Amino acid sequence: MPHYQSWEEFSRAAEKLYLTDPMKVRVVLKYRHCDGNLCVKVTDDAVCLQYKTDQAQDVKKIEKLQGKLMRFMVSKESHSMTMETD
Amino acid sequence: MVLLENDSFLTELTRLFQKCRTTGSVYITLKKYDGRTKPVPRKGNPETFEPVDNKCLIRATDGKKKISTVVSPPLLDLAYSNLLRAHIDGLKKKDKKSKSKKTKATQ
């Protein structure tokens, strides 16, 4: 259940996990305004990747990744595969 | 669990964020959805169900109230990301001023 320190590694691992089995993977976002932190989790119920932050600069990266994964989910599977390999 | 239209979901999500500003967390979950409305049959009857490929489910909760919506193209991702960016604003900003002060001090 790795906790990632680097955003780069986390987002790469998250995309890879999603592509192995899109139906199983879910992305969870937890935001606490009172504590000022944001936690992202990507899991397929076997592997669990987590990233925590309290930095405003990470918010944009996190919401970009969410948008990207959402677009993968909503597109036809063949398209998302070719996007990655091309 | 309240299933809403995309617009109502965004409105309710805004309300959730506002409610949790002083205390509590907002949980958002994103998952691919194949359009099932019935549970997976254990065995026996073959699945007559045709999976759809282009939907996803977004759920949100504050621990008490639950809301959800189904997203299919055209996407609401622009409105959704703007909403996230607008509300997730309580985090530490990168402190450039103190860094430059430090470099000046060392010089």
Side-chain angles (χ1 to χ4, degrees):
Chain A
M1 204 168 100
H3 253 99
Y4 284 82
Q5 302 298 326
S6 138
W7 173 255
E8 264 301 307
E9 291 176 28
F10 173 76
S11 65
R12 243 179 292 143
E15 274 180 59
K16 196 167 161 203
L17 186 64
Y18 174 74
L19 291 171
T20 54
D21 195 340
M23 271 316 289
K24 272 200 155 176
V25 171
R26 67 177 186 277
V27 184
V28 186
L29 193 68
K30 171 172 153 182
Y31 173 60
R32 279 185 73 85
H33 185 88
C34 48
D35 293 342
N37 61 23
L38 184 62
C39 179
V40 201
K41 174 159 80 168
V42 179
T43 178
D44 67 351
D45 297 330
V47 177
C48 176
L49 314 165
Q50 287 181 286
Y51 182 77
K52 257 196 193 168
T53 182
D54 58 355
Q55 300 289 325
Q57 55 178 337
D58 286 332
V59 177
K60 193 168 177 189
K61 297 179 193 163
I62 289 173
E63 76 56 27
K64 259 192 181 162
L65 178 67
Q66 281 227 308
K68 191 172 186 184
L69 289 175
M70 203 190 302
R71 242 163 281 138
F72 280 173
M73 293 174 185
V74 175
S75 71
K76 295 289 173 192
E77 279 301 277
S78 49
H79 283 190
S80 67
M81 288 302 201
T82 48
M83 253 170 69
E84 282 294 281
T85 48
D86 280 3
Chain B
M1 172 77 73
V2 186
L3 183 63
L4 303 166
E5 295 297 321
N6 290 358
D7 311 316
S8 336
F9 176 79
L10 291 177
T11 315
E12 287 301 316
L13 184 57
T14 308
R15 237 178 262 164
L16 270 189
F17 271 113
Q18 286 165 346
K19 218 171 63 157
C20 292
R21 272 183 103 76
T22 45
T23 179
S25 329
V26 181
Y27 294 85
I28 303 177
T29 307
L30 186 62
K31 187 169 180 185
K32 190 165 163 67
Y33 176 52
D34 63 358
R36 274 175 215 276
T37 48
K38 292 192 179 163
V40 179
R42 261 179 260 171
K43 60 175 172 179
N45 297 352
E47 244 179 78
T48 50
F49 170 73
E50 289 287 323
V52 197
D53 200 11
N54 60 347
K55 290 196 217 216
C56 77
L57 197 59
I58 309 185
R59 290 201 189 112
T61 178
D62 62 350
K64 303 253 173 75
K65 185 174 157 114
K66 288 175 167 180
I67 52 176
S68 63
T69 189
V70 179
V71 179
S72 36
L75 273 199
L76 56 45
D77 69 339
L78 201 58
Y80 174 68
S81 17
N82 286 345
L83 200 155
L84 284 188
R85 234 177 294 166
H87 287 95
I88 302 183
D89 60 350
L91 304 185
K92 293 188 202 149
K93 301 265 153 62
K94 200 169 185 180
D95 218 352
K96 284 184 183 171
K97 283 187 184 171
S98 68
K99 273 189 180 174
S100 56
K101 273 186 189 167
K102 278 182 190 171
T103 50
K104 277 187 183 170
T106 49
Q107 280 170 0

